[in-house]
Amino acid sequence: MRGNFDISSVPKDGYLIFPLSMSRLANAQSGQGLYDFLVYFESKIKYISIDCILLYTNDLYLNSNEQAVAVRRRSLHQMLGHKGEFKNILLKERRYVPQAFHFLPWDYGTLNAEGFTEAKNLLLHIAKNNDDFQKCLLNDLRNQGREESDINIGFLIEEIAVTCMLTRGDIPLPHILATENGWRLICYPGNPISSLVYTYKNNLLQDKTKPSKDSHLFSRSFYNMEKKILIDFDTAEISQ
């Protein structure tokens, strides 16, 4: 991802959104790992008006072949353990406002997104008719070590749809310090998947009959927590 740099500050009134991979809750996205990132990032926050969303992608487990009860038991244990770890650190350190941290399951996004079904169906249609987009999806699955199946492609497309709708403001979010219309920045320890970059660069979900919602700050950006860089989707390269 060339041409991307760290940011020196963020304006008041916004959200940091952390999509949490269940497989990384014990390492890169552990409670301590997230807290350490906030300590690093706090120098960029000049006003106490930021909320944080911790979004657990627990639905990924539903793509497994395990029995539903075992899947639910494990994912619930992971989410509750992670939330408890993170909240304990917040309360112990007394550095941030605990009420400004919101713990949400992935289904919160799909249930509250305005036009989610339409967006998902549109991307599914494009995936069947656009060879370049299809190649990006399959490449992402290979990089993640996942089977190239319609089920896994569907999950990637759902992930893309929710991410785009989050950054555009199509999904209402709880807030304490920020306002509902504040800027939204996706933060993740790694680069965005190539199919997500392709979606933004080619405006696959932009409704040409309505005014664009992509003009507000960070709506077409992604923060790599490991490299400490802000990635601009419009200039980012699509990895193959």
Side-chain angles (χ1 to χ4, degrees), residues 20 22 29 50 57 64 73 120 137 145 157 160 163 205 213-214 225 238:
L20 300 174
M22 303 301 287
Q29 292 187 300
I50 307 296
T57 58
S64 74
R73 184 182 297 122
K120 181 178 179 179
L137 290 166
I157 284 177
I160 293 168
T163 300
L205 286 180
K213 294 183 179 180
D214 289 344
M225 297 163 58
I238 299 176

Side-chain angles (χ1 to χ4, degrees), residues 24 37 69 74 85 91 109 114 116 134 139 141 143 146 166 168 184 196 199 213 217 225 236:
R24 308 189 75 177
F37 172 75
V69 173
R74 184 170 71 249
E85 177 196 8
L91 296 175
E114 180 184 342
F116 167 75
Q134 188 176 84
N139 180 60
L141 290 179
N143 288 339
R146 292 159 63 187
L166 272 173
R168 290 192 319 202
R184 301 176 176 195
L196 179 63
T199 299
K213 294 183 179 180
L217 186 66
M225 297 163 58

Side-chain angles (χ1 to χ4, degrees), residues 90-125:
L90 284 180
L91 296 175
K92 177 183 177 182
E93 298 298 330
R94 300 188 179 190
R95 194 165 184 156
Y96 308 119
V97 180
Q99 294 85 352
F101 292 84
H102 312 279
F103 304 85
L104 305 177
W106 183 255
D107 273 347
Y108 176 92
T110 59
L111 288 172
N112 290 280
E114 180 184 342
F116 167 75
T117 300
E118 293 80 2
K120 181 178 179 179
N121 288 340
L122 175 59
L123 288 178
L124 285 170
H125 174 75

Side-chain angles (χ1 to χ4, degrees), residues 215-230:
S215 58
H216 58 277
L217 186 66
F218 301 134
S219 63
R220 301 176 68 85
S221 303
F222 182 104
Y223 194 87
N224 184 321
M225 297 163 58
E226 288 182 342
K227 296 182 179 179
K228 306 294 192 301
I229 57 173
L230 181 72

Side-chain angles (χ1 to χ4, degrees), residues 2-99:
R2 294 179 299 178
N4 299 292
F5 305 93
D6 199 0
I7 47 180
S8 58
S9 65
V10 294
K12 63 180 180 179
D13 188 22
Y15 290 91
L16 296 178
I17 302 175
F18 300 93
L20 300 174
S21 298
M22 303 301 287
S23 62
R24 308 189 75 177
L25 295 187
N27 41 71
Q29 292 187 300
S30 68
Q32 187 63 57
L34 288 179
Y35 187 84
D36 291 344
F37 172 75
L38 289 171
V39 172
Y40 163 77
F41 200 85
E42 73 176 29
S43 65
K44 308 177 190 302
I45 302 173
K46 308 303 180 184
Y47 305 92
I48 304 175
S49 61
I50 307 296
D51 277 58
C52 292
I53 303 295
L54 281 70
L55 187 62
Y56 293 88
T57 58
N58 55 308
D59 276 1
L60 175 59
Y61 276 158
L62 299 181
N63 293 337
S64 74
N65 294 321
E66 296 181 61
Q67 292 185 351
V69 173
V71 171
R72 173 172 169 73
R73 184 182 297 122
R74 184 170 71 249
S75 62
L76 187 60
H77 175 76
Q78 285 184 284
M79 288 189 293
L80 291 176
H82 183 272
K83 177 184 177 181
E85 177 196 8
F86 185 73
K87 288 195 72 174
N88 286 339
I89 297 172
L90 284 180
L91 296 175
K92 177 183 177 182
E93 298 298 330
R94 300 188 179 190
R95 194 165 184 156
Y96 308 119
V97 180
Q99 294 85 352

